[in-house]
Amino acid sequence: MIRVGLTSFKEHDKLTGKKNNTLFEYGAFLPLVELDTAYYGIPRKTSVEKWIQEVPDSFRFVVKAYQGISGQGNWQDYYQSEEEMIDKFLDVMKPMSDAGKLFCFLIQFPASFKCTKESVAYLRKLHAWFKGLPVAIELRDYSWYSENYLERTHDFMRRAQFSLAIIDEPQLLNATVPRDLFITNEAFTLFRFHGRNVQGWQANDADWRKKRTLYRYSEEELEELAQEIIALQDETQEIGIIFNNNSGGDAAENALALQRILGLKPEGLNPTQIDLF
């Protein structure tokens, strides 16, 4: 099964015509969403339970793991140990997993997380902590994809049962990661599309975050991505596709266009406001 979705459910006015959508409203258009809320702070369990109640049975969540788990942010200010942090995160997210609505946890590492013995050792710890749970890993440093390490990166991810996220982003020599079309988990695979804004990706001013994802995929580019997705469909049971190119509000229209190109017609979504009357 292929599901297409967006980062966040709130900001996509191209779906509803509103600047801020509810999750219920979002769930009338797309069957997948990436929740970044937990990255900035582990939410209350009641919030997780509310999210579950607002979406239909066929809906799935990609949950971006708390920044302390990916080595960003000072988790020591809130937790006594890494184990306490992980236990808290997994306990809060348990209702989503139990309800069968978790597509995967996404652990997105910064570019400073390079291919070293220390990094591999930490990935092994993650494997133990998240054992039995679906985890996608996004690596943002080229060293993991270099000629010397790529085969070993693939082998490690496969043995750990991590899904190495397939990333589309600007291609800058040895500075960004390639669109590596290699499946490391037969159960599920996560694609994340950041856009191809080369100049914006290199911005380092106060608005760099917005400039990075300021991009609209053309119909031709979406056709190309669709063919790559279709080619991998037999290698993995579930495919999740997240568009993160929303600085200019383009993600929603790109996601709906890709659904059309792939011939997807999600069933069992929430009713739209028009359907309610």
Side-chain angles (χ1 to χ4, degrees):
M1 176 179 285
I2 301 174
R3 291 183 176 87
V4 181
L6 309 168
T7 52
S8 172
F9 57 82
K10 292 182 179 180
E11 59 186 0
H12 307 288
D13 62 327
K14 299 296 175 58
L15 291 180
T16 65
K18 298 170 58 178
K19 289 185 177 180
N20 288 296
N21 306 314
T22 65
L23 178 56
F24 183 90
E25 290 168 334
Y26 175 97
F29 295 90
L30 294 166
L32 181 72
V33 72
E34 179 182 306
L35 288 177
D36 293 347
T37 306
Y39 173 79
Y40 298 102
I42 298 176
R44 295 185 177 92
K45 188 179 287 190
T46 53
S47 297
V48 176
E49 292 168 342
K50 184 174 182 293
W51 294 332
I52 295 167
Q53 294 166 3
E54 290 187 19
V55 297
D57 291 341
S58 60
F59 195 95
R60 297 293 183 270
F61 294 92
V62 175
V63 178
K64 192 172 180 181
Y66 175 56
Q67 59 186 328
I69 297 172
S70 55
Q72 303 167 88
N74 295 318
W75 59 264
Q76 296 90 341
D77 294 343
Y78 308 98
Y79 305 99
Q80 297 296 315
S81 65
E82 289 178 320
E83 287 75 14
E84 182 186 349
M85 170 182 64
I86 292 290
D87 288 346
K88 175 67 174 178
F89 179 78
L90 293 181
D91 179 63
V92 164
M93 292 298 164
K94 192 173 186 298
M96 185 179 291
S97 179
D98 288 348
K101 287 187 166 62
L102 175 67
F103 184 83
C104 70
F105 293 116
L106 167 65
I107 303 179
Q108 182 190 60
F109 287 100
S112 58
F113 189 77
K114 300 182 183 300
C115 188
T116 65
K117 290 181 179 179
E118 292 76 15
S119 296
V120 173
Y122 187 70
L123 288 171
R124 288 197 176 100
K125 290 169 70 173
L126 288 177
H127 174 250
W129 287 332
F130 284 85
K131 190 171 184 178
L133 293 167
V135 175
I137 300 291
E138 180 171 352
L139 301 169
R140 310 191 82 177
D141 183 74
Y142 177 78
S143 61
W144 298 90
Y145 296 88
S146 67
E147 185 177 350
N148 290 337
Y149 292 116
L150 180 57
E151 185 175 347
R152 280 181 278 182
T153 297
H154 287 163
D155 186 58
F156 176 86
M157 295 293 171
R158 189 165 43 209
R159 285 186 286 108
Q161 296 185 309
F162 290 145
S163 174
L164 181 58
I166 298 174
I167 307 302
D168 188 71
E169 64 186 32
Q171 292 304 290
L172 303 172
L173 185 62
N174 296 342
T176 55
V177 301
R179 193 165 69 254
D180 180 34
L181 301 171
F182 190 91
I183 302 296
T184 62
N185 190 308
E186 295 179 355
F188 75 100
T189 298
L190 180 66
F191 288 78
R192 295 189 84 230
F193 298 155
H194 298 301
R196 300 175 179 178
N197 186 342
V198 174
Q199 289 185 327
W201 202 265
Q202 299 177 88
N204 58 6
D205 57 15
D207 294 327
W208 68 269
R209 290 183 184 275
K210 292 182 179 179
K211 292 177 180 179
R212 273 195 167 195
T213 58
L214 182 59
Y215 190 80
R216 185 181 184 87
Y217 285 95
S218 68
E219 187 80 3
E220 292 74 20
E221 289 170 328
L222 292 174
E223 292 275 3
E224 172 195 8
L225 292 168
Q227 291 306 311
E228 293 176 347
I229 293 163
I230 291 169
L232 296 176
Q233 197 171 1
D234 291 339
E235 297 183 35
T236 187
Q237 296 174 30
E238 300 272 350
I239 292 177
I241 302 158
I242 294 293
F243 280 87
N244 187 41
N245 58 317
N246 202 50
S247 288
D250 297 307
E253 289 181 314
N254 277 166
L256 294 174
L258 183 64
Q259 274 196 159
R260 171 179 51 78
I261 293 168
L262 290 170
L264 303 177
K265 296 180 180 179
E267 297 180 353
L269 296 179
N270 283 341
T272 63
Q273 290 301 314
I274 293 175
D275 292 338
L276 293 175
F277 296 93

mmCIF file of all heavy atoms in Angstrom, residues 3 52 55-60 99-101 267-270:
data_model
loop_
_atom_site.group_PDB
_atom_site.id
_atom_site.type_symbol
_atom_site.label_atom_id
_atom_site.label_comp_id
_atom_site.label_asym_id
_atom_site.label_seq_id
_atom_site.Cartn_x
_atom_site.Cartn_y
_atom_site.Cartn_z
ATOM 1 N N ARG A 3 0.829 5.356 0.768
ATOM 2 C CA ARG A 3 0.138 6.504 1.355
ATOM 3 C C ARG A 3 0.972 7.760 1.127
ATOM 4 O O ARG A 3 2.188 7.734 1.280
ATOM 5 C CB ARG A 3 -0.078 6.316 2.860
ATOM 6 C CG ARG A 3 -1.075 5.239 3.252
ATOM 7 C CD ARG A 3 -1.246 5.204 4.763
ATOM 8 N NE ARG A 3 -2.259 4.253 5.191
ATOM 9 C CZ ARG A 3 -2.032 2.968 5.429
ATOM 10 N NH1 ARG A 3 -0.797 2.485 5.286
ATOM 11 N NH2 ARG A 3 -2.994 2.166 5.826
ATOM 12 N N ILE A 52 -5.473 10.134 17.730
ATOM 13 C CA ILE A 52 -5.967 8.841 17.251
ATOM 14 C C ILE A 52 -7.467 8.908 16.982
ATOM 15 O O ILE A 52 -7.974 8.364 15.994
ATOM 16 C CB ILE A 52 -5.663 7.747 18.289
ATOM 17 C CG1 ILE A 52 -4.159 7.549 18.438
ATOM 18 C CG2 ILE A 52 -6.321 6.423 17.902
ATOM 19 C CD1 ILE A 52 -3.780 6.715 19.643
ATOM 20 N N VAL A 55 -8.864 10.642 13.507
ATOM 21 C CA VAL A 55 -8.569 10.131 12.170
ATOM 22 C C VAL A 55 -9.267 8.799 11.935
ATOM 23 O O VAL A 55 -9.583 8.076 12.883
ATOM 24 C CB VAL A 55 -7.043 9.977 11.957
ATOM 25 C CG1 VAL A 55 -6.369 11.337 12.047
ATOM 26 C CG2 VAL A 55 -6.438 9.002 12.956
ATOM 27 N N PRO A 56 -9.519 8.466 10.667
ATOM 28 C CA PRO A 56 -10.188 7.194 10.354
ATOM 29 C C PRO A 56 -9.252 5.999 10.540
ATOM 30 O O PRO A 56 -8.037 6.147 10.720
ATOM 31 C CB PRO A 56 -10.576 7.370 8.879
ATOM 32 C CG PRO A 56 -9.575 8.340 8.336
ATOM 33 C CD PRO A 56 -9.273 9.279 9.462
ATOM 34 N N ASP A 57 -9.807 4.806 10.461
ATOM 35 C CA ASP A 57 -9.039 3.587 10.707
ATOM 36 C C ASP A 57 -7.875 3.420 9.744
ATOM 37 O O ASP A 57 -6.833 2.872 10.105
ATOM 38 C CB ASP A 57 -9.952 2.363 10.614
ATOM 39 C CG ASP A 57 -10.953 2.302 11.766
ATOM 40 O OD1 ASP A 57 -10.718 2.969 12.791
ATOM 41 O OD2 ASP A 57 -11.969 1.596 11.625
ATOM 42 N N SER A 58 -8.037 3.885 8.509
ATOM 43 C CA SER A 58 -7.013 3.688 7.484
ATOM 44 C C SER A 58 -5.871 4.695 7.575
ATOM 45 O O SER A 58 -4.873 4.567 6.859
ATOM 46 C CB SER A 58 -7.650 3.785 6.094
ATOM 47 O OG SER A 58 -8.249 5.078 5.910
ATOM 48 N N PHE A 59 -5.989 5.675 8.442
ATOM 49 C CA PHE A 59 -5.005 6.755 8.544
ATOM 50 C C PHE A 59 -3.778 6.290 9.327
ATOM 51 O O PHE A 59 -3.878 5.475 10.245
ATOM 52 C CB PHE A 59 -5.649 7.945 9.262
ATOM 53 C CG PHE A 59 -4.888 9.241 9.138
ATOM 54 C CD1 PHE A 59 -5.205 10.156 8.153
ATOM 55 C CD2 PHE A 59 -3.863 9.550 10.017
ATOM 56 C CE1 PHE A 59 -4.518 11.353 8.046
ATOM 57 C CE2 PHE A 59 -3.165 10.737 9.923
ATOM 58 C CZ PHE A 59 -3.495 11.644 8.931
ATOM 59 N N ARG A 60 -2.596 6.829 8.955
ATOM 60 C CA ARG A 60 -1.361 6.487 9.644
ATOM 61 C C ARG A 60 -0.536 7.740 9.960
ATOM 62 O O ARG A 60 -0.609 8.744 9.252
ATOM 63 C CB ARG A 60 -0.503 5.522 8.805
ATOM 64 C CG ARG A 60 -1.167 4.170 8.545
ATOM 65 C CD ARG A 60 -1.316 3.359 9.809
ATOM 66 N NE ARG A 60 -1.897 2.045 9.542
ATOM 67 C CZ ARG A 60 -3.203 1.790 9.549
ATOM 68 N NH1 ARG A 60 -4.077 2.762 9.817
ATOM 69 N NH2 ARG A 60 -3.634 0.570 9.301
ATOM 70 N N ALA A 99 -3.036 1.154 18.722
ATOM 71 C CA ALA A 99 -4.203 1.361 17.863
ATOM 72 C C ALA A 99 -3.928 0.999 16.408
ATOM 73 O O ALA A 99 -4.838 1.033 15.576
ATOM 74 C CB ALA A 99 -4.663 2.815 17.955
ATOM 75 N N GLY A 100 -2.677 0.669 16.088
ATOM 76 C CA GLY A 100 -2.332 0.304 14.716
ATOM 77 C C GLY A 100 -2.254 1.478 13.770
ATOM 78 O O GLY A 100 -2.321 1.309 12.551
ATOM 79 N N LYS A 101 -2.102 2.689 14.324
ATOM 80 C CA LYS A 101 -2.080 3.883 13.476
ATOM 81 C C LYS A 101 -0.675 4.481 13.304
ATOM 82 O O LYS A 101 -0.518 5.531 12.679
ATOM 83 C CB LYS A 101 -3.028 4.942 14.040
ATOM 84 C CG LYS A 101 -4.511 4.592 13.841
ATOM 85 C CD LYS A 101 -5.404 5.745 14.253
ATOM 86 C CE LYS A 101 -6.827 5.541 13.753
ATOM 87 N NZ LYS A 101 -7.472 4.351 14.298
ATOM 88 N N GLU A 267 -9.383 5.397 0.432
ATOM 89 C CA GLU A 267 -10.749 5.129 0.873
ATOM 90 C C GLU A 267 -10.861 5.295 2.380
ATOM 91 O O GLU A 267 -9.873 5.198 3.117
ATOM 92 C CB GLU A 267 -11.164 3.711 0.473
ATOM 93 C CG GLU A 267 -11.191 3.493 -1.032
ATOM 94 C CD GLU A 267 -11.608 2.087 -1.404
ATOM 95 O OE1 GLU A 267 -11.753 1.247 -0.478
ATOM 96 O OE2 GLU A 267 -11.782 1.820 -2.609
ATOM 97 N N GLY A 268 -12.063 5.564 2.839
ATOM 98 C CA GLY A 268 -12.329 5.622 4.270
ATOM 99 C C GLY A 268 -11.798 6.853 4.956
ATOM 100 O O GLY A 268 -11.573 6.841 6.169
ATOM 101 N N LEU A 269 -11.586 7.939 4.221
ATOM 102 C CA LEU A 269 -11.111 9.171 4.842
ATOM 103 C C LEU A 269 -12.245 9.861 5.588
ATOM 104 O O LEU A 269 -13.417 9.502 5.449
ATOM 105 C CB LEU A 269 -10.531 10.104 3.780
ATOM 106 C CG LEU A 269 -9.280 9.604 3.038
ATOM 107 C CD1 LEU A 269 -8.843 10.640 2.006
ATOM 108 C CD2 LEU A 269 -8.146 9.298 4.001
ATOM 109 N N ASN A 270 -11.905 10.870 6.378
ATOM 110 C CA ASN A 270 -12.933 11.638 7.087
ATOM 111 C C ASN A 270 -13.824 12.360 6.078
ATOM 112 O O ASN A 270 -13.374 12.710 4.979
ATOM 113 C CB ASN A 270 -12.281 12.673 8.010
ATOM 114 C CG ASN A 270 -11.736 12.050 9.281
ATOM 115 O OD1 ASN A 270 -12.131 10.941 9.645
ATOM 116 N ND2 ASN A 270 -10.842 12.750 9.947
#
